[in-house]
Amino acid sequence: LLDNCYKIFFVSNWVKDKFFENLPFENKNNCEIIHPWTLPLNKFPKKEYIITFSGKLNYSKGYDLFADVIPKILNKHKLWRAVVLGSEPREKISLNHPRVKKCGWVSFDEASDYYKRSSIVCVPSRWEEPFGRTAMEGAANGCATIISNRGGLKETFDVQKKLILEKLDAN
């Protein structure tokens, strides 16, 4: 592949490092990193007391952690509510609370609308995210973004503007 392609593009340094793992060299001149991007905000959106989780609702994405902790947060902070975007028919992680809205899979425009209104986006992935589009879109829409320290997630945006969970548990 390296010898037969004019250019190879990677979405993160992490993905590039994984590609070169176990090879006798760490780079080649025809390899570049182009991080995905989104348009910057022209105007900061009006934020609501919403915490959003978006993605497959499974253990790998950390949905079980979100489902464990969000009822406790909502019970303590009565003005807040949560929105869950996504589904996962193979796993059955229970999350029932009167102020949690489960939307299932939604269009890109609908998801963007939730990010614009949300104050917080949670991306507590256990698996090595190649990049982390949800984190990028949340941050690009002015959300406080909580991420795990997995894969390319920490490359999604400026490190000083996010909360990185070093230990993945409900605490």
Side-chain angles (χ1 to χ4, degrees):
L1 194 62
L2 287 166
D3 292 334
N4 293 318
C5 292
Y6 176 73
K7 246 345 160 181
I8 299 175
F9 297 100
F10 300 94
V11 296
S12 67
N13 285 299
W14 181 85
V15 170
K16 182 179 167 233
D17 291 345
K18 286 294 181 188
F19 180 84
F20 282 97
E21 205 170 78
N22 299 320
L23 292 179
F25 44 87
E26 294 180 7
N27 198 3
K28 201 142 186 194
N29 288 341
N30 62 340
C31 295
E32 288 186 37
I33 297 163
I34 299 179
H35 290 107
W37 63 278
T38 186
L39 294 173
L41 293 173
N42 292 325
K43 180 183 173 193
F44 197 80
K46 183 177 186 228
K47 294 297 186 177
E48 299 174 31
Y49 294 110
I50 300 173
I51 302 169
T52 297
F53 182 97
S54 177
K56 289 195 177 213
L57 309 184
N58 62 29
Y59 178 86
S60 294
K61 292 287 190 173
Y63 181 64
D64 60 309
L65 297 171
F66 183 83
D68 182 33
V69 77
I70 202 68
K72 298 168 189 163
I73 291 169
L74 297 179
N75 288 340
K76 185 175 179 180
H77 303 281
K78 303 297 184 194
L79 296 176
W80 286 82
R81 57 195 169 105
V83 171
V84 176
L85 309 175
S87 67
E88 176 57 86
R90 296 171 294 181
E91 286 197 43
K92 303 293 181 214
I93 298 169
S94 179
L95 173 55
N96 295 306
H97 192 281
R99 292 195 321 275
V100 173
K101 180 179 180 180
K102 296 180 193 171
C103 300
W105 285 112
V106 298
S107 70
F108 174 79
D109 290 338
E110 289 174 283
S112 293
D113 182 57
Y114 279 110
Y115 296 141
K116 286 175 187 157
R117 294 177 18 223
S118 296
S119 293
I120 301 169
V121 169
C122 294
V123 188
S125 289
R126 285 189 177 89
W127 86 291
E128 303 285 346
E129 294 280 354
F131 180 72
R133 193 179 93 196
T134 299
M136 178 188 68
E137 290 171 356
N141 281 287
C143 299
T145 306
I146 301 169
I147 65 171
S148 63
N149 194 14
R150 301 285 202 256
L153 271 171
K154 54 189 173 262
E155 296 178 51
T156 54
F157 54 97
D158 185 359
V159 81
Q160 285 123 0
K161 296 179 182 155
K162 61 188 164 227
L163 173 62
I164 299 174
L165 301 173
E166 297 295 335
K167 186 176 180 186
L168 288 175
D169 61 24
N171 291 327

